[in-house]
Amino acid sequence: MSRMSMDEEDPGDRLPDFAERVLDLAERIPPGRVMTYGDVAEWLQEGGPRQVGRVMALYGGAVPWWRVVRADGVLLPGHEQRALEHYRAEGTPLRGSGRTGRGSLPRLDTARARWDGRRDDPGTRPAHDGQEARGGQGAHRGRRARDAQGRTGPDGPPGHPDGSA
């Protein structure tokens, strides 16, 4: 049996291919825009909202996790305040919660904030290599590879625990 050299990557440290594709797309979503879990699955033409949510919950801390959202616009339970800070800083469209009383939070206005993944969206600008200038594919690949064992990165757990869209 041969031993791996120090330079070889342990296969257990690599993300599944589907997870890489989900995280790469999450990186491409422009500031102030969002995609639902279902939008991501549809754009990738694989998986579903729950699978995308699972990827975000396990590995999404190294990408802008707050831009992959539930279709109903409800902020990620347990991460509402951090997400709201990002939305306000990026100018993401919000709407009232519909509830009255103290402590009610706004929801995302998904109709206005939704991004369809097209490059001609005014929120992005093309880079010379054909990737989005905001970071593009693989900008966090090294950090995500280290996070493949379930650690979620600097911003904490990003996804909805049940992966609901």
Side-chain angles (χ1 to χ4, degrees):
M1 184 184 319
S2 66
R3 297 181 58 121
M4 285 193 307
S5 74
M6 295 290 282
D7 294 332
E8 291 180 37
E9 189 175 316
D10 179 358
D13 287 341
R14 286 195 308 250
L15 291 177
D17 289 341
F18 177 70
E20 278 290 339
R21 288 188 291 279
V22 168
L23 298 174
D24 286 343
L25 182 55
E27 288 178 325
R28 294 181 56 207
I29 301 170
R33 304 302 297 272
V34 299
M35 290 182 95
T36 68
Y37 297 116
D39 291 341
V40 171
E42 184 178 331
W43 197 90
L44 293 173
Q45 296 182 347
E46 69 179 302
R50 290 187 182 275
Q51 290 82 9
V52 171
R54 179 78 173 151
V55 166
M56 294 303 295
L58 292 174
Y59 311 115
V63 300
W65 54 266
W66 58 93
R67 297 181 192 152
V68 181
V69 303
R70 294 171 40 144
D72 63 5
V74 171
L75 304 185
L76 181 66
H79 304 282
E80 298 94 342
Q81 292 302 323
R82 282 199 343 241
L84 192 55
E85 289 172 15
H86 288 292
Y87 298 139
R88 287 182 172 149
E90 293 181 357
T92 307
L94 300 169
R95 58 185 171 92
S97 66
R99 295 183 296 161
T100 58
R102 288 181 11 172
S104 64
L105 292 169
R107 290 180 179 215
L108 288 162
D109 186 340
T110 53
R112 289 180 33 220
R114 216 171 207 158
W115 184 59
D116 65 6
R118 290 187 314 198
R119 296 177 54 90
D120 61 352
D121 187 289
T124 61
R125 57 187 170 83
H128 295 292
D129 65 356
Q131 307 239 347
E132 300 302 326
R134 289 180 38 273
Q137 209 166 0
H140 295 282
R141 191 174 309 266
R143 182 169 13 179
R144 283 200 312 248
R146 288 192 299 274
D147 294 339
Q149 296 299 317
R151 295 176 299 277
T152 57
D155 242 351
H160 192 275
D162 69 0
S164 62

